[in-house]
Amino acid sequence: MDIKLHIQPSHIHNMEGQSTSTSSIGSAVAFILVSWILIHRWNQRAKKGPKTWPVLGAAIEHLMNYDRMHDWLVKYLSETKTITVTMPFMRYTYITDPVNVEYVLKTNFTNYPKGDAYHSYMEVLLGDGIFNSDGEMWRRQRKTASFEFASKNLRDFSAVVFREYAVKLASILCQASEKNQELDMQELFMRMTLDSICKVGFGVEIGTLSPRLPDNRFAKAFDMANIIVTLRFIDPFWRIKRFLHIGSEALLKQSINLIDEFTYGVIRKRKGEIERTHGSGKMKHDLLSRFIELSKDPESNLTDKSLRDIVLNFVIAGRDTTAATISWFTYMVMTHPRVADKLFSELKSFEEERAREEQVTLVPYNPDDTESFNERITQFAELLNYDSLGRLSYLHASISETLRLYPAVPQDPKGILKDDVLPDGTQVKAGGMVTYVPYSMGRMAYLWGPDASAFKPERWFHDGNFQNAGPRICLGKDSAFLQMKMTLAVLCRFFEFSLVPGHPVTYRMMAILSMAHGLKLTATRRRL
Ligand code: HEM
């Protein structure tokens, strides 16, 4: 007891000494940490763009604003044309100054490839397809695809297919308008553009726009995969999740299995048709067939997996971009009745002029009579072709205005091979990424004037022209405009749209700027 009593005080004394020294170490560490954070924050007081925290960079703010990231960037980029956002494993430089953009896309193109980071995020979906490859792999695909896009046969065939699907879509709207039925217009557009790219690009008919609107599991899986790979840009744990096969990465795997099933099915179907028509002279030279032909040469190194990647890259290029753009267009027209009226009168005059030229007597129609209404739609569509669509300048301006405010590719990131200095003096480091931001560029008062955020197609008659620069320039621009104009001419001539009350219209975060909840609307038939 004595001993105990004797020992205890000294023990207590030791503990006290120890805890005093532990707590002073703790206080010192806390002091250093707090000072580090405060100095770090103090040093950034004049920094333009999101402020960072030690180690975490701007991850907290970035994640908190993820769902509205494009507008979050607009806020910073309207104060300064270039910002840097540091994340735990990556440094992103966002640019809106056209001089910087031209430098990255064109002047110093070789220093800004897609790069390893982008490739690793996207590989599971896009493989080594044209959007996700660099160097020789990219050059070979680009060459073959450019050849295909330059063909007049393809243009003529596309016009026929786009017209056919525009009329199909109009007849679905016509049916729905009879009962004032709600429609998800974005979903219908996605079906239409998927069917068209499969027909024009891969020579196969998949029929997702048929009147009974069959379940489209491929489209759902494709959208899910796109959302999840986009998330990888800001999720530092995605590799761990993939390894453990949990969360978003497990879902991604399931989606990819479904996507692959569909895609290999398309390839098998096309190969079968090529075999059957071999030597008959009936073979169509669509994009996929051209690559299948090339793959017969063992030196081409084109495997079925390469064909799968090619197909999926063209699905993202041909389906999503066009459908998203015409969805935003419809939303803009619906919320700007003055624009809808101007479009309608342009289309009416066009219809009369073309009917005179073609010596066609237009069928009088009664909007309450489905048969004559559909007949007139078909007749109108027959008057649309590549050349005649060129006259619809207000329609063209309205599409351009939509692309300015809602660019289908809202951000376009590139890797950085070597340290460099952009024309505005911004230093960029090898291994980071530099992203040009069309969504922000379209909304900058310093580029478009004080009414930059207003939807005004008229500005295109005096202001600008889209600049699409560099060796990776869009190959499908003419084809996209052809389909968009063909479809929108038919829709704006014959229908008026109203948003379903309370339906939220906002974008979702994925590589293509599509609507998070679709576009729910009702359509009404226009009178003569
Ligand atoms: C509204 C419609 C469209 C928009 C806004 C759009 C936008 C773009 C953009 C911004 C790029 C440059 C990508 C980069 O810098 O990496 C691009 C490239 C490309 N686009 Fe489009 N596009 C559209 C429609 C289409 C269509 C319909 C197709 C084909 C069916 C297509 C095929 C391509 C191809 C093949 C490339 C080249 C990729 C490369 O060389 O890396 N695009 N597009």
Side-chain angles (χ1 to χ4, degrees):
M1 193 65 179
D2 249 13
I3 296 168
K4 230 179 174 182
L5 280 173
H6 183 72
I7 290 171
Q8 229 162 342
S10 80
H11 174 69
I12 290 166
H13 176 78
N14 274 347
M15 285 281 284
E16 263 175 6
Q18 231 174 42
S19 68
T20 315
S21 64
T22 314
S23 74
S24 23
I25 293 173
S27 311
V29 170
F31 177 75
I32 293 170
L33 254 172
V34 171
S35 311
W36 182 32
I37 293 171
L38 287 177
I39 293 168
H40 183 94
R41 298 291 288 186
W42 174 257
N43 281 341
Q44 296 189 43
R45 65 200 181 284
K47 180 179 187 276
K48 297 248 168 80
K51 310 233 182 323
T52 60
W53 297 96
V55 184
L56 295 174
I60 299 173
E61 195 185 329
H62 207 179
L63 281 170
M64 280 169 55
N65 286 286
Y66 184 67
D67 285 341
R68 51 174 299 276
M69 185 179 167
H70 303 309
D71 290 285
W72 178 68
L73 287 174
V74 165
K75 182 181 83 121
Y76 287 116
L77 289 163
S78 53
E79 288 159 10
T80 177
K81 294 177 186 175
T82 305
I83 60 166
T84 302
V85 178
T86 319
M87 296 290 284
F89 299 106
M90 183 55 75
R91 201 177 135 98
Y92 295 102
T93 301
Y94 292 96
I95 56 174
T96 54
D97 188 337
V99 180
N100 279 345
V101 176
E102 186 174 14
Y103 179 79
V104 168
L105 294 185
K106 194 166 148 192
T107 324
N108 199 6
F109 171 73
T110 46
N111 196 42
Y112 300 97
K114 292 279 168 162
D116 293 343
Y118 185 91
H119 188 270
S120 68
Y121 302 149
M122 291 292 183
E123 211 244 334
V124 65
L125 180 61
L126 300 180
D128 291 317
I130 189 164
F131 286 110
N132 201 32
S133 54
D134 290 307
E136 199 41 42
M137 182 95 79
W138 165 71
R139 208 163 292 115
R140 266 196 300 145
Q141 292 183 56
R142 174 101 197 166
K143 195 171 154 208
T144 309
S146 306
F147 192 70
E148 187 64 28
F149 276 97
S151 122
K152 183 163 180 317
N153 278 350
L154 181 84
R155 200 182 79 186
D156 294 345
F157 179 52
S158 304
V160 172
V161 173
F162 295 161
R163 185 183 305 117
E164 184 192 326
Y165 290 137
V167 171
K168 256 189 185 180
L169 178 62
S171 80
I172 291 173
L173 292 185
C174 186
Q175 209 182 342
S177 63
E178 207 156 32
K179 302 168 218 139
N180 205 26
Q181 192 189 329
E182 288 177 12
L183 295 162
D184 179 349
M185 203 64 202
Q186 178 174 258
E187 215 239 322
L188 291 176
F189 284 146
M190 289 279 177
R191 285 174 185 267
M192 182 188 75
T193 52
L194 179 63
D195 284 9
S196 331
I197 187 67
C198 285
K199 184 89 194 256
V200 172
F202 321 136
V204 296
E205 192 108 40
I206 59 163
T208 68
L209 192 67
S210 61
R212 53 187 181 85
L213 300 178
D215 186 32
N216 194 356
R217 292 193 318 149
F218 166 77
K220 286 182 196 143
F222 194 76
D223 291 343
M224 182 53 70
N226 194 329
I227 291 170
I228 299 173
V229 292
T230 308
L231 190 64
R232 285 177 169 185
F233 280 82
I234 58 138
D235 180 0
F237 304 112
W238 71 268
R239 282 194 172 82
I240 300 172
K241 288 198 223 161
R242 182 179 61 179
F243 179 73
L244 298 173
H245 196 65
I246 54 169
S248 52
E249 291 291 322
L251 198 56
L252 177 59
K253 184 82 183 71
Q254 277 173 22
S255 308
I256 294 294
N257 289 344
L258 246 157
I259 293 170
D260 283 353
E261 196 184 301
F262 169 88
T263 314
Y264 285 114
V266 166
I267 297 167
R268 262 196 312 276
K269 200 164 170 190
R270 195 66 193 130
K271 279 188 166 177
E273 275 158 14
I274 293 175
E275 288 292 311
R276 277 193 299 280
T277 53
H278 187 70
S280 69
K282 281 193 198 154
M283 171 99 179
K284 282 228 180 66
H285 277 281
D286 55 89
L287 190 77
L288 179 58
S289 308
R290 205 178 283 278
F291 279 104
I292 290 175
E293 281 300 311
L294 281 178
S295 71
K296 290 183 181 154
D297 174 1
E299 289 203 354
S300 71
N301 289 327
L302 280 171
T303 59
D304 269 9
K305 166 70 170 62
S306 326
L307 296 175
R308 173 254 183 221
D309 296 346
I310 288 163
V311 167
L312 289 179
N313 279 255
F314 278 91
V315 167
I316 206 169
R319 178 192 86 126
D320 297 38
T321 51
T322 308
T325 307
I326 54 182
S327 301
W328 290 109
F329 176 101
T330 309
Y331 176 54
M332 284 293 100
V333 165
M334 213 156 45
T335 47
H336 296 78
R338 186 191 58 83
V339 174
D341 289 347
K342 274 183 101 167
L343 281 167
F344 180 62
S345 39
E346 177 175 73
L347 290 162
K348 285 255 300 166
S349 322
F350 168 88
E351 184 183 34
E352 281 157 21
E353 188 183 299
R354 287 285 297 129
R356 265 197 310 277
E357 279 170 13
E358 299 291 326
Q359 300 180 354
V360 167
T361 312
L362 292 168
V363 183
Y365 75 85
N366 171 359
D368 301 324
D369 169 38
T370 301
E371 204 180 321
S372 64
F373 189 71
N374 271 330
E375 208 179 318
R376 180 67 171 260
I377 290 177
T378 310
Q379 199 178 33
F380 175 77
E382 292 296 331
L383 302 171
L384 304 171
N385 57 43
Y386 184 83
D387 293 323
S388 68
L389 283 167
R391 297 182 203 166
L392 296 170
S393 51
Y394 194 70
L395 177 62
H396 194 98
S398 305
I399 297 173
S400 303
E401 186 66 347
T402 305
L403 282 166
R404 183 180 72 85
L405 289 176
Y406 299 99
V409 182
Q411 297 185 17
D412 195 353
K414 308 285 175 200
I416 305 167
L417 280 187
K418 290 192 204 137
D419 292 0
D420 195 10
V421 181
L422 301 180
D424 71 349
T426 305
Q427 297 191 343
V428 291
K429 293 230 169 301
M433 293 187 101
V434 55
T435 302
Y436 83 93
V437 199
Y439 186 91
S440 292
M441 290 177 79
R443 287 155 194 265
M444 294 295 113
Y446 52 73
L447 296 176
W448 295 96
D451 64 350
S453 58
F455 183 77
K456 284 191 185 164
E458 291 73 14
R459 76 174 77 237
W460 289 91
F461 295 117
H462 43 89
D463 271 359
N465 176 2
F466 268 113
Q467 295 290 327
N468 191 215
R472 295 193 92 129
I473 192 167
C474 177
L475 276 178
K477 185 169 172 252
D478 284 353
S479 171
F481 263 95
L482 179 62
Q483 180 163 37
M484 293 193 289
K485 284 166 115 176
M486 185 81 84
T487 310
L488 295 171
V490 172
L491 299 192
C492 296
R493 165 66 187 86
F494 291 99
F495 297 95
E496 273 177 294
F497 300 103
S498 312
L499 192 65
V500 167
H503 176 71
V505 177
T506 129
Y507 53 76
R508 66 180 160 196
M509 281 306 295
M510 56 197 277
I512 304 297
L513 191 79
S514 61
M515 293 177 178
H517 313 283
L519 181 62
K520 297 267 171 68
L521 51 73
T522 48
T524 321
R525 300 175 191 177
R526 276 195 185 266
R527 316 220 142 244
L528 263 179

